[in-house]
Amino acid sequence: MLAMHSMRNADELNLKLESTLQELPVWTVQIELDHLGNELTELFEEEPLLPGIILTKNRQCVGMISRRLFFEQMSRPYGLGLFAGRPVDYLYNFLQPEICILPEEISIVEATQIALGRSQKLVYEPILITDSSCQHGLLDFHQLLLAYSHINVLTVTRLQKEKERARVARADFRDLQHNYSRLLQNEKMIALGQLVAGIAHEINNPMNFIYGNLNYATEYVKDLLYLLECYQQEQPHCDVISQAKLEGIEIDFIIEDLPKLLSSMKVGATRINEIVLSLRNFSRLDQAELKLVDIHEGIENTLIILRHNLKAKPDRPEIKVIKEYGNLPLVECYAGQLNQVFMNIIANAIDALSESYKLSVSSDDITAKIHKDITIHIRTELTDDNQVMISIADNGLGIPDNIQKRLFDPFFTTKPVGQGTGLGLSISYQIVVEKHGGQLICVSTPGQGAEFIIKIPIVSDRLKQKEAD
C-alpha cells in the first residue's frame, strides 16, 4: 500500500488494464477516538488535500471521517462548540457515516464501478482500503477516477491495436487462402499432368496398333471393292480371278488376314474404350454428391489409370499388385474425391517402391535391402462397427518415425524441389476425416514397408441425420 501526502499523476504509476487498488497511493493519516475534535481540524488544515482521516481505537481501525462530512458538520450552528472540545468518538457516533471498504486486491475498474454505484451524496467520499495484514489507507475518489481514466485510455489504445492486428490478420488470412488455393490448384495440375502422361502412354500403344493396321485394312478393303466392282460388271469368275492376279491382289491371303486384322483393331479399340471408361469412372464427373458406390470399382479404375506407372522401368522391375478384396456393401461417399485418395496413396507407394529399389541396388547395407519382388498389397474388409477398411501397403523401406508424425501436415514433403507440393496426403486426410467422418492413419516400421489404412462409415452422418429427422 503506497502512503502519500500529496496527489500524484496516474501516468507516473505505470498502470495496466488489470491494475489493482494496491498500485494506487493512499492516505494513512490516523487519529484515536479519545483525542479531541480540535485535532481533526488541525490535521485537515495541515494537509489541504487530505480527503479524510482514519479513526482508530487502541490502534485498530474502526472507521473514517471525510473532510466534506467533518466541515459540513462543524459549519452548522453550535457544531464547533459541541464537538471541538470533546473526544472524536462523540462526533463519530453522532454522524455514523456510511463507509465504503474495499480490499486492495480488487481491480481499479471494478472498484470504480462499485464507488460510482453509491448514492449521489456519498459518491465523492474517500474509500477505505484494507490489505492482507489488516492495515488501512484512504483512497481519494478523485485519484481513483484519474487511474480509471488512464486505464480507459489504455483500453482504447489496446482496442485500436487489436483492431489493426485483426485487420492485418484478416489480410494475411486472405493472402494465405489465396496462396493455398493456388498451391492446391498447382497440386491438382501436377497430379493431372502425371495422370495425362500415364493415360497418353496407355492409349498410345493400342492407338499405334490401330493406326498401323489401318493402312493394311484400307488396302484390303480397296482390293475387295475392286473385285466387287468387277463382279458387278458381270465378268466371269475366272476372268475376275485372272484380273485380280494381274493387279497383285492375293485373295486367299486377304480372306485369311483381314478377319485377324479387324479382330486386332477391335482389341485395341476395346482397350482405349476401357481406359476412357475407367478415367470417367475415376473422375465421377456425374457423381459430385454423396452416392452409393462400389469401393472395389474405384480401386480398380485407379489401378487402370496408374497401370503405366506399375509397369517395369529401366531402373526397376514391375510393381506387382496383390488384391485381397472382402465382401463389401455399397458405400455412401463422394466417389470422385475418394478415388483421388486412392490415387494419392497408391502413387506415393509407387514412388516409395521405386526409390527403395534404387537404394537397395546401390547400397551394401543389408538393412537397406528389400524383397526381390516389389509389391503393393490392397486389402478391404468390413469391420465390426460397420465401417469399410481399405489397407494399401507396400514392401519398401518404410517411413522413419520423425517423418510419420508430419505426413499429413500441409506442404510437408520429402520429395525433391519441384516434384511435390506436400499437399497430396494433406488433401487425402481432409477428404477422409472431414468429408467422410472417417480415419486415415499410417503404420510403418523402417525396413518393413508402409501401410495406409482408410476407414469410412458405410452410411454418412448426413444420411443418418436425415433418417433421424
Side-chain angles (χ1 to χ4, degrees):
M1 191 178 293
L2 301 172
M4 66 173 288
H5 295 282
S6 61
M7 292 294 293
R8 293 173 59 183
N9 194 320
D11 293 334
E12 300 174 5
L13 300 176
N14 192 26
L15 297 175
K16 299 179 288 295
L17 297 182
E18 61 277 7
S19 290
T20 64
L21 297 181
Q22 186 178 14
E23 301 175 47
L24 298 182
V26 295
W27 295 88
T28 57
V29 179
Q30 302 179 356
I31 190 172
E32 285 282 322
L33 288 176
D34 57 1
H35 287 217
L36 297 179
N38 287 336
E39 294 185 30
L40 290 174
T41 305
E42 294 173 0
L43 290 173
F44 281 124
E45 289 177 349
E46 289 177 3
E47 292 287 351
L49 298 178
L50 182 63
I53 299 174
I54 299 172
L55 305 179
T56 61
K57 185 175 183 180
N58 298 326
R59 297 191 176 183
Q60 297 295 319
C61 177
V62 294
M64 75 90 187
I65 186 168
S66 68
R67 172 185 288 271
R68 180 194 66 82
L69 192 59
F70 175 76
F71 283 106
E72 183 181 281
Q73 186 60 39
M74 289 302 173
S75 63
R76 291 178 179 175
Y78 309 109
L80 187 61
L82 284 173
F83 301 109
R86 293 186 177 185
V88 175
D89 192 24
Y90 283 88
L91 176 61
Y92 185 68
N93 289 331
F94 177 78
L95 295 175
Q96 295 184 349
E98 183 179 340
I99 302 172
C100 179
I101 303 176
L102 296 176
E104 65 176 4
E105 295 84 6
I106 194 171
S107 69
I108 292 174
V109 174
E110 186 179 354
T112 305
Q113 294 173 343
I114 294 174
L116 290 173
R118 297 179 293 180
S119 65
Q120 294 183 355
K121 183 179 180 181
L122 301 174
V123 72
Y124 290 105
E125 289 289 282
I127 300 167
L128 194 61
I129 307 299
T130 178
D131 61 14
S132 57
S133 61
C134 296
Q135 298 297 315
H136 294 77
L138 274 182
L139 174 64
D140 192 340
F141 180 71
H142 179 67
Q143 180 73 12
L144 179 63
L145 287 182
L146 286 175
Y148 180 79
S149 176
H150 182 72
I151 291 177
N152 184 62
V153 172
L154 293 177
T155 303
V156 173
T157 304
R158 174 79 64 86
L159 286 174
Q160 290 174 343
K161 289 181 179 179
E162 292 300 326
K163 286 181 180 178
E164 180 62 19
R165 289 178 184 173
R167 186 191 66 78
V168 173
R170 285 195 297 269
D172 291 343
F173 181 70
R174 286 193 296 268
D175 291 341
L176 183 62
Q177 279 186 318
H178 176 71
N179 292 334
Y180 181 77
S181 299
R182 185 172 59 187
L183 287 171
L184 192 60
Q185 187 63 28
N186 289 343
E187 173 72 15
K188 291 180 179 179
M189 293 305 295
I190 291 172
L192 181 61
Q194 295 172 344
L195 184 65
V196 170
I199 292 174
H201 189 277
E202 285 294 300
I203 292 179
N204 189 54
N205 288 336
M207 198 68 191
N208 286 338
F209 188 74
I210 294 173
Y211 187 77
N213 287 326
L214 191 61
N215 291 331
Y216 295 106
T218 301
E219 290 296 326
Y220 291 164
V221 172
K222 183 178 177 181
D223 292 342
L224 292 176
L225 289 175
Y226 173 78
L227 294 176
L228 182 62
E229 184 180 349
C230 290
Y231 281 116
Q232 286 179 336
Q233 294 175 1
E234 298 183 355
Q235 296 183 22
H237 176 70
C238 57
D239 293 342
V240 172
I241 297 299
S242 299
Q243 188 68 27
K245 290 182 178 180
L246 291 175
E247 295 291 335
I249 301 173
E250 300 180 15
I251 298 177
D252 293 337
F253 179 77
I254 292 176
I255 292 174
E256 179 184 356
D257 193 52
L258 182 59
K260 295 179 181 179
L261 185 146
L262 292 176
S263 177
S264 299
M265 293 175 66
K266 182 179 179 181
V267 170
T270 302
R271 174 66 183 139
I272 293 174
N273 183 67
E274 177 187 340
I275 295 171
V276 173
L277 181 61
S278 297
L279 180 61
R280 178 178 178 275
N281 291 337
F282 173 82
S283 62
R284 297 283 183 173
L285 296 176
D286 58 340
Q287 296 184 16
E289 295 298 325
L290 284 168
K291 296 283 185 179
L292 290 172
V293 299
D294 184 351
I295 292 294
H296 295 151
E297 181 184 353
I299 296 174
E300 289 296 324
N301 290 326
T302 304
L303 291 174
I304 290 175
I305 299 300
L306 293 173
R307 182 177 296 174
H308 170 66
N309 302 71
L310 295 167
K311 291 179 179 178
K313 304 288 182 182
D315 55 353
R316 66 155 174 82
E318 177 186 3
I319 298 175
K320 297 181 180 180
V321 178
I322 301 172
K323 291 175 282 188
E324 188 181 340
Y325 292 161
N327 186 18
L328 300 183
L330 296 179
V331 178
E332 186 188 37
C333 63
Y334 296 95
Q337 295 184 24
L338 201 58
N339 287 344
Q340 185 63 49
V341 174
F342 299 151
M343 170 72 77
N344 289 337
I345 295 177
I346 296 175
N348 281 347
I350 294 172
D351 292 341
L353 287 171
S354 300
E355 187 65 24
S356 296
Y357 190 83
K358 293 176 186 177
L359 291 174
S360 174
V361 171
S362 61
S363 176
D364 294 330
D365 186 359
I366 297 178
T367 60
K369 298 295 182 181
I370 62 173
H371 302 288
K372 182 178 179 181
D373 293 332
I374 50 178
T375 61
I376 295 176
H377 192 158
I378 302 176
R379 181 171 56 89
T380 64
E381 66 178 54
L382 183 63
T383 64
D384 295 335
D385 55 350
N386 281 331
Q387 290 198 352
V388 169
M389 188 200 75
I390 305 106
S391 167
I392 302 174
D394 64 69
N395 63 342
L397 293 178
I399 305 172
D401 293 338
N402 61 322
I403 294 179
Q404 288 186 48
K405 297 175 181 178
R406 302 186 59 191
L407 275 179
F408 304 114
D409 292 348
F411 312 116
F412 175 75
T413 179
T414 57
K415 296 179 180 178
V417 177
Q419 295 187 19
T421 62
L423 290 174
L425 286 179
S426 174
I427 294 171
S428 299
Y429 188 86
Q430 291 179 359
I431 291 173
V432 173
V433 177
E434 297 178 14
K435 284 281 189 178
H436 293 85
Q439 295 176 287
L440 175 57
I441 59 177
C442 174
V443 180
S444 178
T445 301
Q448 299 182 20
E451 179 183 17
F452 284 85
I453 300 174
I454 303 166
K455 286 185 178 180
I456 57 172
I458 296 176
V459 181
S460 72
D461 292 336
R462 185 183 301 180
L463 185 58
K464 289 180 181 178
Q465 184 64 35
K466 187 182 296 185
E467 292 175 350
D469 295 340

